[in-house]
Amino acid sequence: MRGEPLDAETIMSATEEVLRRHGPEKTTVLDVARLLGVSHGSVYRHFPSKAALREAVIRRWLDRVQEDLAAAIRSPEPAAADRLRGLLTTMFAVKWAKAREDPELFATFRVLAAEHSTASSAHVAFLLAQIRGIVVDGIADGEFAACEPEVITRAIFNATSRFHDPTHAAEWQSPEVEAESATVISLILDGIRTR
Amino acid sequence: MRGEPLDAETIMSATEEVLRRHGPEKTTVLDVARLLGVSHGSVYRHFPSKAALREAVIRRWLDRVQEDLAAAIRSPEPAAADRLRGLLTTMFAVKWAKAREDPELFATFRVLAAEHSTASSAHVAFLLAQIRGIVVDGIADGEFAACEPEVITRAIFNATSRFHDPTHAAEWQSPEVEAESATVISLILDGIRTR
């Protein structure tokens, strides 16, 4: 048994470690309890179910991903088109890096995304809000054609699915993915600019 | 044993039937041979392996999908933008209908697509050629901005992945998919039109 009292953060960190070792399919609450040297009942006192624990771990992991993204876009370019290009480029690069460097937690995220979990929906909402902010600025400046921001934001998100949706992760290893994403971004920017 | 001599077409039709009953994971060459009342050796005389048989069946199935698509776009609209909108709308609708109405063969196609099989690559090449034909006409007419047709064709294909890539099939049941695809098509057309 461990000395210090067991808290939710400690359990989540241990779960990350077990996920990285065994992957999303084989990780059990018992593995997590064993790593911590506690009974699985102690884990269940903090998280009502394995699904709740997994959701909490991925929510915390996505928070860190979003912090990286927010830091990268903190100093905005003056033109909305340049800001949108920067946001999308960074958003894809962060996803590709996570898929490559943290494959087991990415695989867990992918399972949650397929299940439309709360953590994954909140992450989609965060990305949509980032895009929407720039779209609204661009329309206000007259740089982007007048349109319904919600509709065009969703269209930009959908048109770039190949580059950010975890279901496409296997394709992100292609040497062409960077050039192909740049072309799609240019196509989108040409589509929303004022004529 | 059957009366008439066994040919490749008969074996492929029987395989389709078995795939529709058992799905791509559980279908075996023995099931196909049983349905035909022949030994599995007779099947292997026409197809060297289970993978070759599966590939041939999906190639024939994709040929029929492509005939439907070619028939739908036979009478071209005068403007390239209208033709491109028509092609993409039909392309998505045909995929969505196949996923819904022929789920087991669609699941088999999905497996082949993930494996980048010859049949699936040929199908992608067919779709790219359809898009490219209209892009080339649009550039020649001055309706679309001058650009490298190969690059913009691939960008249009990538920007619409969410609506035609079999990995997204689960999302095609959403009531919003039709409206969302129409918005992405409009965004693309605005992106490639001459300014």
Side-chain angles (χ1 to χ4, degrees):
Chain A
M1 295 290 279
R2 300 164 67 260
E4 65 259 58
L6 189 66
D7 62 21
E9 290 292 320
T10 308
I11 295 171
M12 286 193 277
S13 299
T15 308
E16 275 199 14
E17 207 176 320
V18 176
L19 278 168
R20 286 204 178 92
R21 268 188 233 165
H22 303 314
E25 304 304 328
K26 289 187 195 143
T27 292
T28 66
V29 171
L30 202 58
D31 294 330
V32 175
R34 262 198 212 115
L35 181 66
L36 290 165
V38 301
S39 70
H40 66 279
S42 310
V43 174
Y44 282 121
R45 265 195 292 281
H46 288 84
F47 296 96
S49 65
K50 183 186 162 184
L53 173 56
R54 198 175 59 167
E55 174 98 15
V57 166
I58 294 300
R59 183 176 297 141
R60 199 178 66 158
W61 182 77
L62 286 171
D63 281 346
R64 291 199 303 260
V65 171
Q66 292 171 188
E67 276 164 28
D68 289 355
L69 190 56
I73 58 173
R74 205 152 282 160
S75 53
E77 300 283 330
D82 293 333
R83 285 170 58 204
L84 187 52
R85 187 189 301 278
L87 169 68
L88 294 173
T89 306
T90 307
M91 179 174 136
F92 305 160
V94 168
K95 289 264 174 125
W96 301 344
K98 286 286 163 193
R100 197 173 53 235
E101 292 157 16
D102 208 356
E104 293 302 352
L105 281 176
F106 194 86
T108 313
F109 164 54
R110 197 171 158 166
V111 171
L112 290 191
E115 292 168 0
H116 304 287
S117 78
T118 316
S120 137
S121 303
H123 179 60
V124 168
F126 168 84
L127 297 174
L128 288 171
Q130 301 296 313
I131 298 170
R132 193 182 181 286
I134 301 175
V135 165
V136 167
D137 288 351
I139 296 171
D141 293 349
E143 188 184 340
F144 294 164
C147 62
E148 186 51 60
E150 295 301 337
V151 174
I152 203 74
T153 296
R154 173 62 70 173
I156 294 167
F157 187 77
N158 285 340
T160 53
S161 295
R162 184 167 213 110
F163 308 111
H164 64 69
D165 192 310
T167 192
H168 286 284
E171 295 153 47
W172 300 342
Q173 294 165 21
S174 157
E176 282 99 47
V177 71
E178 206 171 326
E180 292 194 349
S181 71
T183 315
V184 168
I185 293 172
S186 295
L187 177 64
I188 290 170
L189 292 178
D190 285 340
I192 60 179
R193 275 198 191 105
T194 310
R195 282 173 177 268
Chain B
M1 295 288 278
R2 300 162 68 256
E4 66 259 57
L6 190 65
D7 62 20
E9 290 291 321
T10 309
I11 294 170
M12 285 193 277
S13 299
T15 308
E16 275 200 13
E17 205 176 320
V18 176
L19 278 168
R20 287 205 176 91
R21 269 187 232 164
H22 302 313
E25 304 304 328
K26 290 188 195 141
T27 292
T28 66
V29 171
L30 202 59
D31 294 331
V32 174
R34 259 195 216 119
L35 180 66
L36 290 165
V38 302
S39 71
H40 66 282
S42 310
V43 175
Y44 282 119
R45 267 197 289 282
H46 288 85
F47 297 95
S49 65
K50 183 186 160 183
L53 173 57
R54 199 175 57 165
E55 174 98 15
V57 165
I58 294 300
R59 185 176 295 142
R60 197 178 67 158
W61 182 76
L62 287 171
D63 281 346
R64 292 200 302 261
V65 171
Q66 291 172 188
E67 276 164 27
D68 290 355
L69 189 56
I73 58 174
R74 205 153 282 162
S75 52
E77 300 282 331
D82 293 335
R83 284 169 60 205
L84 188 51
R85 187 190 301 280
L87 169 67
L88 294 173
T89 306
T90 306
M91 180 175 135
F92 305 160
V94 168
K95 288 265 175 124
W96 302 344
K98 287 287 163 192
R100 198 175 52 234
E101 291 157 15
D102 209 355
E104 293 301 352
L105 281 176
F106 194 86
T108 312
F109 165 55
R110 198 170 155 165
V111 171
L112 289 191
E115 292 168 2
H116 303 287
S117 78
T118 315
S120 138
S121 302
H123 179 60
V124 168
F126 167 85
L127 297 175
L128 288 171
Q130 300 297 313
I131 297 171
R132 193 183 182 286
I134 301 176
V135 165
V136 167
D137 289 352
I139 296 171
D141 293 350
E143 188 184 339
F144 295 163
C147 61
E148 185 53 60
E150 296 300 338
V151 174
I152 202 74
T153 296
R154 172 63 68 172
I156 294 167
F157 188 76
N158 286 339
T160 54
S161 295
R162 186 168 212 108
F163 308 112
H164 65 71
D165 192 311
T167 191
H168 286 284
E171 296 153 46
W172 298 344
Q173 293 165 20
S174 155
E176 283 100 45
V177 71
E178 205 170 327
E180 291 193 351
S181 71
T183 315
V184 168
I185 294 172
S186 295
L187 177 64
I188 290 170
L189 292 176
D190 285 341
I192 59 180
R193 275 198 192 106
T194 311
R195 283 171 179 270

